Amino acid sequence: MLQKGVFDVEKIRQDFPILQRKVMGGKPLVYLDNAATTQKPLSVINAISDYYTNYNSNIHRAVHQMAEEATIAYEETRKKIAKFINAKSTDEIIFTRNTTEAINLVAYSWGRANVKKDDRVVITEIEHHSNIVPWQILTQEKGAKLEYVGVGDDGYLKMHEYRNYLDSNKVKLVSVSQMSNVLGTITPVNEIIRSSHEKGIPVLIDGAQSVPHMPVDVQKLDCDFMAFSAHKMLGPTGVGVLYVKRDILEKMPPFMGGGDMIKEVHKYETRYNDLPYKFEGGTPNIADVIGFSAAIDYLDNLGMDRVREHEIDITKYALDRISGVKGVTVYGPANAKDRGGVVSFNIGDIHPHDLATIMNDHGIAIRSGHHCAQVLMERLDVAATSRASFYIYNTKQEVDKFIEALDEARRLFKI
Ligand code: C6P
């Protein structure tokens, strides 16, 4: 286990059993698909196994010892998350399946209660489908309008467009990603939240790519909603988080009806449970929530400032090296300080899927495709891109291997 506060990538790698794996007939795995999902340290795997081996029980229901142990472990994760993002209270932390479900929860519950005909919901051209489709469904249902803040060729949001929307005095909600999963752009959420609040407009932050990669403080940001996924920050799949400011959450109607979200049910009426349980209907993903606890411990131990520093360092290195590859187009801000650890690119007319296949032959895992951001693909006028994305265990040597493989692909395609 790593010494607290020390960022030693080689030591970190030892905590991830999968990184010892060989692929494609004996090649060491170079995992550069971290924006899709990260690998899990042994402590996370062990926490899940320990729950199933030693105290598997449902939570919040029975009084037997194991049920109590499971409930305590589950609720401990909620406390750790509240501390990790500096929420005022654990009541503001709702467990969902992922970022997608968290955003849908806001659209269905808050959105249906608050968005009316001719209102506007403002998002941006860099959004993931999870932060587009729920608002399309809502605005279409309500006869409201969905508006997009554009993105410039430099990868930055066109903030004058955003200010123009605010001036229309019709905006009911602003929902924006803090870090693009394609361009890497870190968006000016402080400014967006401050100016939206001047007009009394709440702001949802899609933190799927930001919370795993940089310090995020919801009180400092003063955002109203924040959504993120455990699996992109060393935790298991199947667990997401929705943070909602308490005064807003208190007024929100429930999202899903069923067990655990109620206090009393009668034939024709129900009294709902206290916060946050009112929004957690049914048996939750107990094992994986408990696993998430170990992931937060791991990141806390490293320190999110250091996680961010490492990513700036490796991203800067990758951007420098890739810019030397003939025929490459790199998308997003040129400055590594303005972006997260994702590098999306195209080389000549090599199809991204072909490129990813060649990378795979070298044992290098990257993602190719539209990255669930087809609105952005249209804006960039491409069908797809290739994407390398980094995390705490990636090294500059791995970036070198990636660049060598790119060069080989380029030669193969005679570019
Ligand atoms: N992006 C990627 O490879 P879920 O799937 O619900 O955990 O996360 C959705 C999501 C929402 N917002 C952003 C900014 C995201 O990047 C993602 C997930 C992955 O880029 C899978 S498409």
Side-chain angles (χ1 to χ4, degrees):
M1 184 68 191
L2 206 65
Q3 201 188 325
K4 191 169 171 58
V6 173
F7 207 97
D8 178 339
V9 178
E10 284 313 319
K11 276 237 168 68
I12 290 172
R13 292 180 71 83
Q14 288 165 20
D15 292 330
F16 292 78
I18 212 165
L19 297 180
Q20 307 303 320
R21 219 199 123 165
K22 303 276 191 288
V23 291
M24 300 305 289
K27 302 206 172 68
L29 169 69
V30 175
Y31 186 75
L32 301 181
D33 194 16
N34 293 287
T37 197
T38 63
Q39 299 303 339
K40 322 303 172 198
L42 197 57
S43 57
V44 169
I45 299 165
N46 285 344
I48 297 166
S49 162
D50 181 44
Y51 163 75
Y52 281 127
T53 309
N54 294 309
Y55 60 103
N56 171 46
S57 297
N58 212 325
I59 55 164
H60 299 150
R61 289 165 168 85
V63 294
H64 60 79
Q65 182 179 335
M66 291 201 306
E68 181 120 353
E69 287 168 3
T71 303
I72 289 170
Y74 182 90
E75 290 304 328
E76 192 58 32
T77 311
R78 202 190 303 273
K79 283 188 205 151
K80 284 184 191 170
I81 292 166
K83 194 158 164 262
F84 191 75
I85 59 168
N86 195 29
K88 244 187 214 153
S89 98
T90 51
D91 300 351
E92 297 172 318
I93 305 297
I94 298 163
F95 286 118
T96 62
R97 278 188 307 144
N98 44 40
T99 303
T100 305
E101 188 176 277
I103 297 174
N104 274 278
L105 194 162
V106 178
Y108 277 88
S109 169
W110 186 91
R112 266 156 195 77
N114 289 282
V115 174
K116 310 257 166 355
K117 191 170 176 324
D118 297 330
D119 284 343
R120 293 179 177 191
V121 172
V122 172
I123 59 175
T124 83
E125 284 179 345
I126 67 165
E127 301 310 320
H128 186 277
H129 296 163
S130 298
N131 198 27
I132 296 177
V133 184
W135 307 119
Q136 285 180 348
I137 296 171
L138 175 71
T139 50
Q140 280 163 16
E141 186 183 308
K142 295 286 185 173
K145 217 169 160 197
L146 186 59
E147 305 278 18
Y148 286 85
V149 176
V151 62
D153 293 337
D154 53 6
Y156 294 93
L157 292 180
K158 294 179 179 167
M159 290 300 285
H160 62 278
E161 292 187 1
Y162 162 72
R163 284 186 282 271
N164 285 345
Y165 288 131
L166 287 194
D167 286 344
S168 73
N169 288 327
K170 292 208 161 159
V171 179
K172 260 291 155 64
L173 178 79
V174 174
S175 189
V176 60
S177 171
Q178 192 173 11
M179 189 189 283
S180 159
N181 67 323
V182 177
L183 303 176
T185 313
I186 296 175
T187 57
V189 287
N190 280 307
E191 187 187 337
I192 289 172
I193 293 164
R194 188 187 41 72
S195 48
S196 292
H197 283 180
E198 276 170 10
K199 301 258 180 187
I201 304 160
V203 180
L204 186 153
I205 302 295
D206 174 351
Q209 297 294 345
S210 58
V211 175
H213 299 277
M214 59 198 267
V216 170
D217 180 329
V218 289
Q219 287 194 67
K220 239 192 221 159
L221 280 174
D222 199 27
C223 59
D224 302 277
F225 309 93
M226 160 92 64
F228 55 99
S229 297
H231 72 95
K232 292 188 196 290
M233 49 192 293
L234 309 180
T237 50
V239 178
V241 174
L242 175 65
Y243 158 83
V244 187
K245 252 186 207 166
R246 197 187 162 108
D247 58 331
I248 296 179
L249 196 56
E250 272 168 358
K251 293 186 204 111
M252 276 168 55
F255 171 46
M256 268 196 299
D260 221 24
M261 52 78 73
I262 56 90
K263 268 206 169 121
E264 279 172 37
V265 179
H266 304 284
K267 255 189 178 164
Y268 301 107
E269 66 201 46
T270 291
R271 215 152 62 79
Y272 300 123
N273 208 341
D274 295 329
L275 298 176
Y277 312 111
K278 175 177 160 187
F279 294 95
E280 291 180 7
T283 300
N285 188 348
I286 304 165
D288 292 316
V289 166
I290 290 171
F292 190 22
S293 208
I296 294 170
D297 287 344
Y298 197 95
L299 290 173
D300 255 342
N301 194 35
L302 284 176
M304 290 308 291
D305 283 322
R306 288 189 182 83
V307 169
R308 176 75 185 126
E309 273 166 31
H310 170 72
E311 280 186 32
I312 291 175
D313 190 39
I314 197 161
T315 307
K316 188 172 179 328
Y317 184 72
L319 287 172
D320 284 350
R321 292 239 37 207
I322 204 170
S323 65
V325 178
K326 204 175 138 206
V328 161
T329 306
V330 179
Y331 304 98
N335 188 341
K337 291 211 163 125
D338 293 342
R339 60 190 290 158
V342 303
V343 178
S344 288
F345 61 96
N346 274 311
I347 304 194
D349 56 2
I350 307 180
H351 194 283
H353 290 326
D354 291 337
L355 190 73
T357 307
I358 295 171
M359 290 285 147
N360 185 46
D361 290 341
H362 288 78
I364 302 169
I366 63 165
R367 185 171 170 190
S368 56
H370 55 61
H371 313 291
C372 302
Q374 285 184 316
V375 169
L376 179 58
M377 294 296 124
E378 274 175 20
R379 164 65 185 85
L380 297 175
D381 199 20
V382 293
T385 74
S386 299
R387 182 187 71 185
S389 54
F390 311 112
Y391 209 30
I392 53 173
Y393 34 68
N394 289 123
T395 64
K396 289 183 180 166
Q397 288 82 352
E398 288 183 311
V399 174
D400 290 339
K401 280 191 186 171
F402 161 67
I403 298 291
E404 278 161 31
L406 275 190
D407 265 327
E408 197 179 308
R410 190 180 55 75
R411 282 195 297 273
L412 208 68
F413 281 86
K414 302 198 171 24
I415 288 166

